Amino acid sequence: KAGVTQTPRYLIKTRGQQVTLSCSPISGHRSVSWYQQTPGQGLQFLFEYFSETQRNKGNFPGRFSGRQFSNSRSEMNVSTLELGDSALYLCASSKQGEAYEQYFGPGTRLTVT
Amino acid sequence: DQQVKQNSPSLSVQEGRISILNCDYTNSMFDYFLWYKKYPAEGPTFLISISSIKDKNEDGRFTVFLNKSAKHLSLHIVPSQPGDSAVYFCAASVGSSNTGKLIFGQGTTLQVKP
């Protein structure tokens, strides 16, 4: 079974721009969660989607948003990029009823200059 | 407010010996705990989990112990192998089956020396 895939793997953007990251979950998984990993803050939860609805949300500003499609694929968007948004963005998927057991993709490394 | 803490940033052990990684938490509502391993340039890989109703779970060389009164969990790796060298994260969940929100510790870098 294929794992979680994320595209693109690397991205360089300029301050003020916006960016969209994509995540394809493991087949059959309906929950998708997003995390931001930075050296100073570790892994922090952004939001979770289940059946195209946002089920949980972390403490990030409204510039961070996401959505989920009917095939469970998910995208996250960051608008008006700031230097501090440079991070590894990780997506994870899980089965219905086992949302705690998450399987991660390789991440998208975003650099904001 | 860091609800999950891994106080040791790094740990070095000899191949074949036991590795013990520790994690403390503050939120008594956590009902599921997990350990993940992460190599550079890869996403975290799920290792082992434990429900708050248990005090031990074992899977091959990996055993997780939970002490609810002390709000402490630990991961034991026996015997340690060089391939175990990685960053280990503990994570916790509230409302486990219906929430995909995990709270992670800061991670412990394990080095296993041949």
Side-chain angles (χ1 to χ4, degrees), chain B residues 5-48:
Chain B
K5 293 182 184 178
Q6 293 176 255
N7 292 317
S8 299
S10 62
L11 174 68
S12 181
V13 301
Q14 209 65 37
E15 180 179 6
R17 306 294 292 269
I18 183 172
S19 294
I20 300 177
L21 297 103
N22 295 302
C23 181
D24 296 302
Y25 61 95
T26 57
N27 189 342
S28 57
M29 298 300 291
F30 287 143
D31 54 4
Y32 235 96
F33 301 90
L34 307 96
W35 284 94
Y36 284 84
K37 176 170 74 173
K38 187 178 186 301
Y39 294 116
E42 295 183 13
T45 302
F46 171 74
L47 268 178
I48 191 168

Side-chain angles (χ1 to χ4, degrees), chain B residues 25-98:
Chain B
Y25 61 95
T26 57
N27 189 342
S28 57
M29 298 300 291
F30 287 143
D31 54 4
Y32 235 96
F33 301 90
L34 307 96
W35 284 94
Y36 284 84
K37 176 170 74 173
K38 187 178 186 301
Y39 294 116
E42 295 183 13
T45 302
F46 171 74
L47 268 178
I48 191 168
S49 63
I50 187 167
S51 162
S52 61
I53 63 173
K54 296 186 176 181
D55 54 19
K56 178 182 175 182
N57 189 26
E58 199 170 350
D59 184 1
R61 297 187 297 114
F62 302 92
T63 303
V64 56
F65 295 92
L66 176 62
N67 182 333
K68 288 186 290 294
S69 60
K71 292 190 174 70
H72 177 84
L73 67 154
S74 61
L75 174 69
H76 291 209
I77 306 173
V78 184
S80 301
Q81 300 173 354
D84 295 330
S85 297
V87 180
Y88 288 78
F89 292 94
C90 72
S93 170
V94 176
S96 55
S97 62
N98 293 316

Side-chain angles (χ1 to χ4, degrees), chain A residues 7-8 11 13 18-22 67 75-78 108:
Chain A
T7 56
L11 207 47
K13 289 285 188 179
Q18 74 165 13
V19 67
T20 299
L21 312 181
S22 181
R67 60 177 175 167
E75 289 181 348
M76 68 163 281
N77 184 277
V78 188
T108 295

Side-chain angles (χ1 to χ4, degrees), chain A residues 5-18:
Chain A
T5 58
Q6 292 187 245
T7 56
R9 292 292 312 275
Y10 302 92
L11 207 47
I12 300 175
K13 289 285 188 179
T14 305
R15 265 185 307 177
Q17 289 185 316
Q18 74 165 13

